Amino acid sequence: MKYFAMTEDPSYFDEKKEIEKRVEDLLSRLTLKEKFMLLASHGRLRLYSTKPIKRLNIPSFKMTDGPLGVAMHSSGFKKNTRFPAPVALAASWSRELMHQIGVAMGKEVRAVNRHVLLAPGMNICRTPLNGRTFEYFSEDPFLTKELAIPFVKGVQSQRVAACLKHYAANNQEINRRSSSSEIDERTLHEIYLRAFRGVVKEAAPWAIMTCYNMVNGVYGSENKYLLQDNLMDKWGFVGLVMTDWFASRPIKTTEGCINAGLTLEMPWPSKYKIKSLETAYHSGKFTDEILNDRVRRNIRVMMLTGLFDSPESLPKGDRNTEEHQDLVRRASEEGMVLLKNKGNVLPLHMDNLKSIGVYGSNLSKKFGRILSGGSSAVSPPYEVTPYEGLRKKVKDRVELVASEKPTDVAIIFAGLNHGRGGDSESMDRDSLRLDDRQIREIKKVASENPKTVVCLIAGSPIAMNEWIDDVDAVLMCWYGGNEAGHAIANVLFGEVNPSGKLPLTFPRRLADSPAHITGNPRNYPGDEDKRVYYDEGTFVGYRWFDDKEIEPLFPFGFGLSYTEFKYEELEVNRQSLGKDTDALLVNIDVTNIGECKGSEVVQVYANDVEASVNRPPLELVGFEKIRLDPGETATVAITVKVEDFAFYDITRHDWVIEPGEFKILVGKSSRNILGEAKFSYS
Ligand code: BGC
């Protein structure tokens, strides 16, 4: 993409040459100063792009925020498709859908002429209060990795770099720029690094973003243990490492960052000012080898994203197409989780209804506003609200009543919003409850109507103890993107049978949740020195609730359907596994015994019966989503990789599987196990 003619045609522009050769060619032509220039974004008005280097025809390298699509503030103020929030996508448990979403987002990034999508967000949901829960997938590292892999592959199929973030242990927003996540080695690897490692190994992402916080006293952008030792040396990451925006500010030295593995400082230089780099370099604080490695990584990603290729040879890109809107609607439908359905009040049947009462602060709300909720905000060209979706669905066949008079059924669109106390970057929620006004409204409407349905529009767990017994049905709708209103109407009226499963435990009360059990600030949000102690260790999410035998409001993996599924004939293909075995095959027959077609997520958990370390009672190791017609049976085959039975051994600083007995537990959720098998590992 040369923007002015050069006298010679350097070989880094030669698309026929191997990428690594082109990278070396360009690297060899750079002066020391140009190398330094490539380590940071220069120029205060370019918060999302690097400065071009004219002498070598190196164009500006541009990024845009995700992960809900292409954000308006970083795409030249363009309106783009607003996809469902990652937590909603995760609730679909569909790898296929994640791939389609990745491809579609990649196309939208291309269409706004950017090279990097700042997504996926992969932090583990440690506390349900984290303001960014909606931007992440799950409390479980296996589910996170399994969904992020196809997403990253999808994005990168469009020659757009996916950027995993925020590496690592950025699990709360309070004090995010100054707190230190204090985590023991095993927990760090087993819970907080595991998904990053899996995605690096299996999807080869081209970029990763460091966290704002410290991990065990060292900031993410100067954390050699996280960057060089694990990410690069152990897992083989060959892409670039950028800071979160201004994350390097509190760091003391330039050499700390470059030696640790930081390759790109955003959005403008602080540690990587040319002068600082020169001083550190000339006083021998970092070597040429290190410098070249860091620059090489940035150039490599520029090459991979086609920065030096002719536009005709690159994927075209497309935004706001009908195909993307259709995908948003399907994804929103697939992620919705039916939590309660007393007396099968749902689905609604048009012919039996004269009037529907519609209530709630989210009934007519549009969520896609610029920077609302923080950097992930996407402003779409249009957004279908729940009210509009219902209106279109019922046409003039059913009256929608927005005033307080009894109707055949009342639907309350409650939940959260982006902003203070809600789902938002840079602040956490202060409570798990809905606000008092919403609770009063739910109770009042429920007492005045024969049937009440609550649709929750929110991106994180909500406590429902105060009102759930008053209502007949609860549908977790999350933030479903710009087609959410249609998707919700389709699920309410049974055109789509809900099949989403919770990617997070919904606790009854905050104090049941592992980061909050002690009520001691040392666990959350941190002590007076802003150290946050992860004392619960590996017992995060359902691992905690299961181990401590605490009854959650709704368990991890839970979700109802309009039909029923029967599980039979669980079989594993081996009774004994060893070092030479790669995988275990789990087969189970699943039959749709209800009246309508539907999808089911078959979940496989493992239990290490004789472990020398304290392991959780259940750990997710496999899942498959299937679709069945009424009466249809399928044998679901789930391949579980043997490495997923391992734990992180702190004596060897590596993953190990101990010889002994393991149980395989198959079910509909972490608390509804319908089949059990055993095998031994030697
Ligand atoms: C967020 C990142 C985001 C970046 C750029 C930061 O505040 O933590 O997730 O990508 O800003 O907008």
Side-chain angles (χ1 to χ4, degrees):
M1 249 227 248
K2 281 172 270 183
Y3 53 93
F4 70 94
M6 295 172 98
T7 43
E8 88 179 296
D9 223 359
S11 74
Y12 58 90
F13 276 106
D14 185 347
E15 289 166 32
K16 286 189 217 76
K17 279 223 161 77
E18 238 186 86
I19 291 251
E20 288 308 311
K21 295 225 166 75
R22 296 170 72 188
V23 171
E24 289 314 313
D25 179 57
L26 177 53
L27 186 67
S28 69
R29 293 167 194 263
L30 293 168
T31 63
L32 189 60
K33 188 167 172 204
E34 284 163 347
K35 286 183 185 174
F36 292 159
M37 282 186 66
L38 286 171
L39 291 175
S41 169
H42 291 261
R44 302 227 153 194
L45 291 175
R46 304 164 190 267
L47 294 181
Y48 292 86
S49 55
T50 67
K51 202 170 180 185
I53 298 182
K54 292 225 167 113
R55 184 183 79 85
L56 291 163
N57 247 327
I58 303 178
S60 172
F61 183 57
K62 300 176 181 166
M63 25 213 117
T64 179
D65 257 315
L68 280 77
V70 175
M72 185 180 231
H73 66 269
S74 48
S75 64
F77 295 95
K78 295 203 171 64
K79 293 187 171 177
N80 306 300
T81 304
R82 184 173 166 93
F83 293 86
V87 69
L89 297 174
S92 76
W93 293 56
S94 170
R95 297 177 182 91
E96 195 188 326
L97 182 75
M98 291 308 295
H99 188 261
Q100 292 171 6
I101 296 274
V103 171
M105 277 197 206
K107 287 188 176 168
E108 299 236 346
V109 175
R110 275 256 152 245
V112 296
N113 190 25
R114 300 293 186 270
H115 308 103
V116 185
L117 175 67
L118 303 174
M122 298 203 2
N123 295 104
I124 294 296
C125 300
R126 173 179 182 251
T127 160
L129 296 187
N130 182 4
R132 295 186 93 171
T133 303
F134 74 104
E135 286 191 59
Y136 301 134
F137 293 122
S138 172
E139 64 191 24
D140 181 79
F142 179 81
L143 182 60
T144 299
K145 119 178 138 73
E146 287 296 302
L147 298 176
I149 289 168
F151 175 82
V152 166
K153 288 185 178 167
V155 172
Q156 296 191 165
S157 70
Q158 301 307 304
R159 295 194 63 184
V160 166
C163 178
L164 317 188
K165 67 189 191 182
H166 309 88
Y167 184 66
N170 175 191
N171 306 107
Q172 64 186 53
E173 290 298 288
I174 296 188
N175 298 330
R176 66 174 177 170
R177 289 169 192 268
S178 51
S179 63
S180 176
S181 304
E182 300 289 316
I183 314 178
D184 67 83
E185 186 185 345
R186 182 176 153 214
T187 303
L188 181 62
H189 283 269
E190 248 176 66
I191 302 293
Y192 298 100
L193 301 189
R194 183 173 167 207
F196 285 106
R197 172 179 180 261
V199 176
V200 165
K201 285 179 160 259
E202 289 179 51
W206 297 339
I208 194 164
M209 185 191 289
T210 60
C211 56
Y212 282 123
N213 52 286
M214 293 179 256
V215 178
N216 295 328
V218 185
Y219 279 106
S221 305
E222 59 168 348
N223 201 313
K224 180 165 173 295
Y225 180 75
L226 290 180
L227 302 180
Q228 182 72 59
D229 300 352
N230 281 284
L231 177 69
M232 294 172 176
D233 294 351
K234 277 203 176 163
W235 312 341
F237 177 75
V238 295
L240 66 82
V241 179
M242 71 173 81
T243 59
D244 198 341
W245 269 230
F246 305 108
S248 49
R249 263 186 186 161
I251 293 174
K252 297 219 165 52
T253 71
T254 298
E255 60 273 19
C257 293
I258 195 159
N259 286 324
L262 182 72
T263 73
L264 186 62
E265 193 177 33
M266 296 301 294
W268 61 68
S270 141
K271 299 298 106 65
Y272 286 178
K273 285 186 181 138
I274 308 275
K275 269 247 151 331
S276 317
L277 283 160
E278 273 168 359
T279 312
Y281 176 79
H282 291 301
S283 47
K285 298 268 172 52
F286 61 91
T287 61
D288 277 311
E289 198 190 336
I290 285 284
L291 174 64
N292 287 338
D293 175 80
R294 304 323 184 213
V295 176
R296 185 182 285 122
R297 286 168 183 274
N298 293 349
I299 304 176
R300 179 179 292 132
V301 182
M302 292 175 173
M303 279 306 162
L304 287 165
T305 56
L307 207 68
F308 300 96
D309 294 357
S310 58
E312 309 78 64
S313 68
L314 297 170
K316 287 285 148 309
D318 233 338
R319 6 178 237 126
N320 301 321
T321 57
E322 250 175 61
E323 201 189 342
H324 290 183
Q325 310 318 329
D326 183 60
L327 176 61
V328 170
R329 203 204 60 250
R330 277 193 290 121
S332 173
E333 291 164 353
E334 270 210 62
M336 260 181 258
V337 186
L338 182 61
L339 295 173
K340 177 174 179 177
N341 196 16
K342 197 170 97 192
N344 292 335
V345 61
L346 293 178
L348 304 173
H349 298 283
M350 203 84 77
D351 297 340
N352 305 344
L353 292 174
K354 285 203 176 59
S355 59
I356 301 178
V358 285
Y359 303 86
S361 45
N362 286 341
L363 174 65
S364 296
K365 194 169 287 152
K366 298 197 178 185
F367 293 92
R369 303 176 301 267
I370 189 162
L371 287 171
S372 169
S375 57
S376 67
V378 173
S379 312
Y382 72 94
E383 185 175 342
V384 184
T385 66
Y387 183 79
E388 288 162 359
L390 278 181
R391 176 85 278 153
K392 189 144 180 229
K393 175 69 60 192
V394 301
K395 301 202 177 75
D396 50 11
R397 292 175 65 188
V398 180
E399 192 194 356
L400 291 187
V401 183
S403 66
E404 292 179 17
K405 78 169 198 208
T407 45
D408 295 333
V409 60
I411 311 179
I412 309 166
F413 293 89
L416 303 173
N417 189 2
H418 295 304
R420 187 154 290 285
D423 292 303
S424 206
E425 184 179 336
S426 74
M427 54 192 117
D428 285 351
R429 292 164 65 199
D430 43 25
S431 163
L432 207 57
R433 302 169 67 243
L434 293 177
D435 60 50
D436 289 338
R437 203 190 44 73
Q438 294 199 61
I439 295 177
R440 273 199 304 275
E441 182 175 33
I442 294 174
K443 284 183 156 299
K444 182 165 184 294
V445 170
S447 71
E448 290 169 352
N449 287 277
K451 291 174 188 162
T452 303
V453 175
V454 174
C455 289
L456 287 171
I457 300 183
S460 36
I462 296 205
M464 304 177 204
N465 277 356
E466 293 166 82
W467 51 266
I468 192 160
D469 292 339
D470 299 317
V471 305
D472 301 278
V474 181
L475 181 66
M476 188 71 200
C477 305
W478 313 105
Y479 298 112
N482 57 259
E483 279 281 323
H486 288 146
I488 292 170
N490 286 346
V491 170
L492 289 174
F493 280 92
E495 256 157 67
V496 171
N497 186 352
S499 62
K501 308 282 174 183
L502 292 180
L504 306 157
T505 304
F506 275 37
R508 283 180 191 276
R509 59 190 76 79
L510 190 62
D512 288 347
S513 188
H516 302 274
I517 196 118
T518 62
N520 188 334
R522 88 178 237 123
N523 296 135
Y524 175 89
D527 66 11
E528 61 279 9
D529 297 324
K530 299 188 186 159
R531 286 200 206 109
V532 189
Y533 292 88
Y534 288 37
D535 288 335
E536 70 282 1
T538 58
F539 294 87
V540 175
Y542 65 92
R543 289 164 166 79
W544 173 267
F545 285 80
D546 292 346
D547 189 60
K548 297 286 176 272
E549 296 182 356
I550 300 171
E551 202 53 46
L553 177 63
F554 295 110
F556 175 81
F558 176 80
L560 301 170
S561 164
Y562 296 152
T563 186
E564 283 286 332
F565 296 96
K566 190 167 83 185
Y567 287 45
E568 288 167 306
E569 310 276 337
L570 167 65
E571 267 177 17
V572 290
N573 71 334
R574 303 161 186 272
Q575 263 65 50
S576 58
L577 307 181
K579 288 195 182 55
D580 307 328
T581 341
D582 294 335
L584 179 75
L585 193 64
V586 179
N587 283 313
I588 190 151
D589 288 351
V590 180
T591 308
N592 180 346
I593 54 169
E595 303 293 311
C596 59
K597 62 180 178 216
S599 297
E600 173 71 331
V601 178
V602 181
Q603 303 165 34
V604 181
Y605 296 87
N607 168 244
D608 187 349
V609 180
E610 302 161 40
S612 66
V613 294
N614 199 4
R615 296 192 74 175
L618 294 185
E619 289 177 78
L620 185 72
V621 291
F623 62 88
E624 219 45 75
K625 190 165 190 175
I626 48 149
R627 186 164 179 76
L628 294 174
D629 284 329
E632 189 183 352
T633 301
T635 301
V636 185
I638 301 173
T639 304
V640 180
K641 287 196 196 127
V642 171
E643 64 184 48
D644 286 318
F645 297 117
F647 69 90
Y648 188 88
D649 181 1
I650 55 165
T651 56
R652 288 188 232 179
H653 309 293
D654 207 354
W655 291 82
V656 296
I657 311 174
E658 276 178 345
E661 198 177 300
F662 284 79
K663 275 192 208 156
I664 287 289
L665 303 118
V666 181
K668 287 163 160 299
S669 84
S670 59
R671 288 289 174 105
N672 191 358
I673 300 299
L674 299 165
E676 198 177 307
K678 281 185 185 149
F679 71 88
S680 64
Y681 185 85
S682 53

